[in-house]
Amino acid sequence: MSSKRTNPLPKIIAFAFLLIMAVIWIIPLLWGVVTSFKSEIELQTVGFKFLPIEWVLTNYTTLLVDNASTPLVRWFTNSVFISVSHTLLVLIVVTLSAFAFSRLNFKGKNGLFAFLMATMMFPGVVNLIPLYKIIDILGWVNSPIAMIVPGAAGVFNIFLVRQFMNNIPLEFDEAARMDGASDFQILGKVILPLIKPVLLVVALFSFTGSWNDFLWPSIVFNDIEKMPITPGLQLLQGMYQAQPTLLMAGALFAIIPTFILYLFAQKYFLESMSLSAGVKG
């Protein structure tokens, strides 16, 4: 009985394509890393040379220690506080909203959810002017709250967590209610342990979205000391546009948190792609 041999060509083509894409993505990153450890004189006088002739830390010390006009460490601290606070608020709001739309019955639930989904069709830039007006009236201009509160109830995040919850059998809720559990107890003791993968993905998206946001913080912050790091990098570009080594050092310093976050959270991201990952057996 002859065995049917599989054709390895599709796998080889797929591997080659992914390898090429990985190389295209990683070369600029590696170039930025090695450039940040070059001296400005070497970059301008030596021709194309990938690795530095002499590895120096001058660019980092200039930005992190000796420069009061562009307080990179202060911007970094501001971004950490804003991004972590925003992520925690998103998790609270999104979890409660998704639980209500998925597990509770109330009048107008389907219509309200359909309305929320319809708002996703409007580009975010449409909200900039009215949102700034609200922030200004509340006195939140130049305040971290202007970055933390807006966007906490992201419709896509609510939809994602709701769909994940919909794959958890309602029998779990009914069994808990028979034992006298309230809605909040069901959420805390039954639902939350099962939706950890998707909540980690929401946290990942929320943190990186807040950390990388450029347009909105550029509008609401005009105090250099209170800025997060992303608009701060724009100031670096204005001051050091003729010094690429300093710009590379600042940019690499800014991507450290998101790089580490993706490094440790990628397995949860892959797990959440299956909406039934939270239901075991």
Side-chain angles (χ1 to χ4, degrees):
M1 192 172 184
S2 61
S3 59
K4 190 174 181 180
R5 299 182 61 182
T6 58
N7 185 5
L9 184 60
K11 290 185 177 180
I12 295 174
I13 295 174
F15 177 79
F17 174 76
L18 293 175
L19 180 62
I20 293 171
M21 295 302 296
V23 170
I24 292 174
W25 180 87
I26 202 170
I27 285 180
L29 179 62
L30 292 176
W31 176 256
V33 171
V34 298
T35 301
S36 69
F37 289 101
K38 292 180 180 180
S39 65
E40 193 64 34
I41 296 176
E42 178 184 339
L43 186 67
Q44 293 179 0
T45 58
V46 179
F48 178 80
K49 189 175 180 62
F50 189 75
L51 294 176
I53 298 175
E54 180 183 1
W55 295 77
V56 297
L57 294 174
T58 310
N59 301 310
Y60 291 96
T61 56
T62 299
L63 290 176
L64 303 179
V65 180
D66 302 330
N67 200 332
S69 59
T70 53
L72 200 66
V73 175
R74 177 67 178 176
W75 295 340
F76 185 91
T77 306
N78 293 341
S79 285
V80 170
F81 174 75
I82 290 171
S83 299
V84 171
S85 302
H86 175 74
T87 301
L88 293 176
L89 183 61
V90 166
L91 290 176
I92 294 172
V93 173
V94 167
T95 301
L96 293 175
S97 301
F99 180 77
F101 283 117
S102 175
R103 320 301 282 190
L104 304 182
N105 292 317
F106 55 90
K107 187 176 181 180
K109 181 177 76 170
N110 294 332
L112 178 59
F113 186 74
F115 174 77
L116 288 177
M117 295 301 297
T119 61
M120 293 179 62
M121 303 190 62
F122 296 94
V125 69
V126 174
N127 300 323
L128 287 180
I129 295 177
L131 186 57
Y132 182 81
K133 288 289 186 181
I134 295 173
I135 295 299
D136 188 30
I137 292 172
L138 294 174
W140 290 355
V141 176
N142 270 326
S143 170
I145 303 178
M147 287 283 295
I148 295 171
V149 175
V155 178
F156 176 76
N157 290 331
I158 295 174
F159 169 77
L160 186 64
V161 178
R162 172 186 177 272
Q163 293 303 106
F164 201 97
M165 285 186 185
N166 284 344
N167 285 272
I168 301 174
L170 290 173
E171 287 78 5
F172 291 2
D173 301 36
E174 295 170 358
R177 283 196 175 90
M178 290 180 65
D179 291 335
S182 65
D183 289 331
F184 280 105
Q185 288 174 326
I186 293 173
L187 173 62
K189 297 182 179 180
V190 178
I191 303 298
L192 280 181
L194 297 175
I195 63 172
K196 283 182 180 179
V198 74
L199 290 183
L200 286 169
V201 172
V202 169
L204 178 65
F205 286 164
S206 300
F207 184 91
T208 55
S210 177
W211 185 275
N212 295 326
D213 192 6
F214 171 75
L215 180 60
W216 180 242
S218 298
I219 294 173
V220 298
F221 288 100
N222 51 50
D223 188 336
I224 293 179
E225 288 290 328
K226 296 180 179 180
M227 280 184 177
I229 198 167
T230 311
L233 290 178
Q234 180 67 22
L235 293 181
L236 284 182
Q237 185 177 358
M239 294 183 64
Y240 302 112
Q241 58 183 350
Q243 296 176 270
T245 55
L246 282 171
L247 294 178
M248 284 296 99
L252 289 172
F253 183 72
I255 68 172
I256 289 174
T258 52
F259 179 76
I260 294 175
L261 193 61
Y262 272 111
L263 202 62
F264 286 97
Q266 57 180 328
K267 66 176 182 178
Y268 300 107
F269 177 80
L270 295 175
E271 184 179 357
S272 71
M273 292 300 99
S274 172
L275 293 180
S276 59
V279 183
K280 306 295 182 183

